[in-house]
Amino acid sequence: MLQTVSESRTVGETQRVAYRFMLRARLLDDKFASLYRAGKIHGGVFLGRGQEALSAAIGVHLNKTDVFAPLIRDAAGRLAFGEPIIDAVRTYLGSSLGPMRGRDGNVHRGRPQEGYLPMISHLGAMISVVNGVLFARRMKGITGIVGVACLGEGATSTGSFHEALNQAAVEKLPLVLVVANNQFAYSTPTTSQFACSDLANKAIGYGVESHSVDGTDFSACMETVGAAIARARAGHGPQLVVATLLRLCGHGEHDDASYIAPEQKNSKLGRDCLKVAEDFLLKKEFADAAQIAVWRSEAIREIDEAVAQAQREPAPDPYEEKWSALSSEHLNELREES
Amino acid sequence: MSITYLEAIREAQAHALRDDPRVFIYGQDVGAFGGAFKATKNLQKEFPGRVLDSPISEDAMIGLAVGTAIEGMRPIIEMQFADFSTVAFNQIVNQASTLFWRTNVPCPITVRLPFGGTSGSGPFHSQCLEAIYAHYPGLVVLTPATVEDAYSMLLSAVAIDDPVIFCEHKFLYYHLKAEKLPSEALPIGKARIAREGRDLTIVTYSAMVHEALAAADELATEGWQVEVVDLRSIKPLDTDTVVASVARTGRLLCVGEAWPWGGVTAEVIARVTAEGYGLLDAPPQRLNAKDTPVPYHPNLWAAHRPTARSVAAAARKLIRY
Ligand SMILES: Cc1ncc(C[n+]2csc(CCOP(=O)(O)OP(=O)(O)O)c2C)c(N)n1
Ligand SMILES: [Mg+2]
């Protein structure tokens, strides 16, 4: 298990930790992509390529007692929040031993009682659930915690986003809403998504503080996300973070993203945050190339081991399955089975 | 002393708040104002910090409730009118109802829906949405028809570890009175024989129980003994009690105030036909509201939904089949 920020001591340790989560996330995503192409994954595969800096910056600034509702491009943040690689692999491969037991798959995974909320597909719907966890904890007298909800720029057009951000503002909850503006919602460009000049301006209307950041810039993400989380933790109410970047993959692995113009890919927006982070670490002498190579091979080994393990594990068995959606067993209508 | 259906709902909430520190109430105008119907009257004063006004954000209200449930709370969410719960539909049917199944973490939330027609309420303050919620796995749907059930079933709803859609009928709020609150109740999922008879079974729930009972009175003067089954709970549905009643009478009329298509009445008939085909002496029938939005004008409204008169007419026809 990698260290978290609070345990870090030496200069550059936080950056090193964050970079390692980015690297692990990238390699894990690459593995899922190749498993998908090999026909080993049922259903879709959704990658966070190009968004690792933003996502890892969230994860490393959260404590175990915080709340995290990641979305589809947050492999890095999930790992940094403490998700073991095996949880991700088991969910993608449908192992009955995974946290979702084959009932849900791919990015729809979490452990709610550990503050790690499993997204439902409906965009915007997780924000108010984070509000609820924060609301309950406040009722119990727990302070000093924050909850982060992630979303894409497309999800800012949902009614749920509006309702939940307004609700958090009214209740002054320590919510940090991190919007990854990766320029596309599936194939839809931002011009068809919103008409304001800067998404961060939306915060004004809700009476919420906002932060903008270049999502390709690793150290800027670390600083801005860290500051927003610290503001919320210190009791300054909800924070909106808007990161500008480019999705460096298809919407899912089924999508070749041919609608993204080459000029955009070749612009500064299209640079790879993992490379930016690596250059940053080398330049600051927080790590050297040999060290990074070791981290990489360690991560590859861990991922390969997790995949090998999950592939040996039992798939869910329909005859063992309970086929009941209720926790109250006495209220099940068992007669359906006859 | 007498207590109304609405007061019973208030009392049940007070009881739940008193007994269980995990319970709180969240909804529009529920705080100092006491709710649009006064179902939370004085509760904020009595339970400071636990009866809280929400913004007009039904989606976020239920999302928040689910988050608090994850943290072990047992929220009661008041929808101002059942009709507006459609704004929260996604959070109810996709978030709340799937949580336990997906994660093994229970979701003990109670969503109170003041529902059903009252004169002059029109298309958007009269709807009956029990069937659409019952359609979704992972939800419990309750429809109390009496003051006693309103009280005891709301207490049960709060105690149940799953999301409960509590359909409380606005028409019964002030009309219905009881002498005192009950100290015991039938379990959730058990239907009740509201009136015994041998010639015909009427299966119904909520406000229509009272229309059915009035129709049964009318038919009694003509010499027919009508049995009335009050389902109490739509989901789970007590098929055994219904089939046993049909075994006694041989005739089934299902009555619902909701729209007919894919509704509770259709479900009951499907079950009785599948499980008790040989018990039927006549084709099972149903009577529902007409398949239009609920009209505003009392003349139209009275003709839109089943009434004692139309129930009696349908029953007569079925007895003579
Ligand atoms: C309410 C809702 N509508 C539609 C979809 C289908 N959908 C899934 S992802 C997506 C695009 C999301 O774009 P964005 O919010 O920008 O996130 P990104 O994929 O770019 O990270 C759409 C339309 C959905 N999941 N939920
Ligand atoms: Mg996007």
Side-chain angles (χ1 to χ4, degrees), chain B residues 9-64:
Chain B
I9 286 165
R10 199 209 85 99
E11 286 311 310
Q13 292 181 100
H15 187 143
L17 284 162
R18 206 173 297 126
D19 274 15
D20 190 341
R22 300 170 301 176
V23 174
F24 73 96
I25 300 177
Y26 186 57
Q28 293 151 27
D29 305 295
V30 298
F33 186 66
F37 295 98
K38 299 290 175 236
T40 57
K41 190 174 160 192
N42 292 332
L43 291 182
Q44 189 183 64
K45 215 184 317 163
E46 215 174 309
F47 303 95
R50 296 172 64 198
V51 183
L52 304 152
D53 285 329
S54 73
I56 307 170
S57 299
E58 285 78 7
D59 178 295
M61 285 159 63
I62 300 295
L64 181 143

Side-chain angles (χ1 to χ4, degrees), chain B residues 154 162 271 276 313:
Chain B
L154 184 49
D162 292 289
R271 291 185 188 208

Side-chain angles (χ1 to χ4, degrees), chain A residues 101 103-104 112 118-120 122 125 128-129 132-133 137 140 160 163 167 324-328 333 335-336, chain B residues 26 57-60 63-64 67-68 70-71 90-91 94-95 100-102 138 161-162 236-237 240 271 275:
Chain A
R101 301 161 293 163
R103 290 181 175 186
D104 209 341
M119 58 177 280
I120 68 165
H122 300 67
S128 58
V129 181
V133 175
R137 296 212 184 151
K140 294 184 202 169
S160 299
E163 289 196 10
Q167 179 183 55
S324 155
L326 291 180
S327 145
S328 319
E333 291 197 31
R335 60 188 319 112
E336 314 283 337
Chain B
Y26 186 57
S57 299
E58 285 78 7
D59 178 295
L64 181 143
T68 65
I70 288 170
E71 288 296 297
N90 181 43
Q91 296 285 14
N94 288 312
Q95 189 87 263
F100 174 74
W101 183 80
R102 293 170 76 227
D161 272 341
D162 292 289
L237 187 64
D240 289 343
R271 291 185 188 208
E275 296 184 29

Side-chain angles (χ1 to χ4, degrees), chain A residues 42 87-106 108-109 313-318 321 323, chain B residues 101-103:
Chain A
H42 291 280
D87 271 17
V89 173
R90 280 171 164 161
T91 308
Y92 260 112
L93 294 180
S95 161
S96 60
L97 305 181
M100 310 312 280
R101 301 161 293 163
R103 290 181 175 186
D104 209 341
N106 52 64
H108 303 92
R109 59 181 197 267
E313 288 172 354
D317 177 352
E321 176 70 24
W323 298 115
Chain B
W101 183 80
R102 293 170 76 227
T103 68

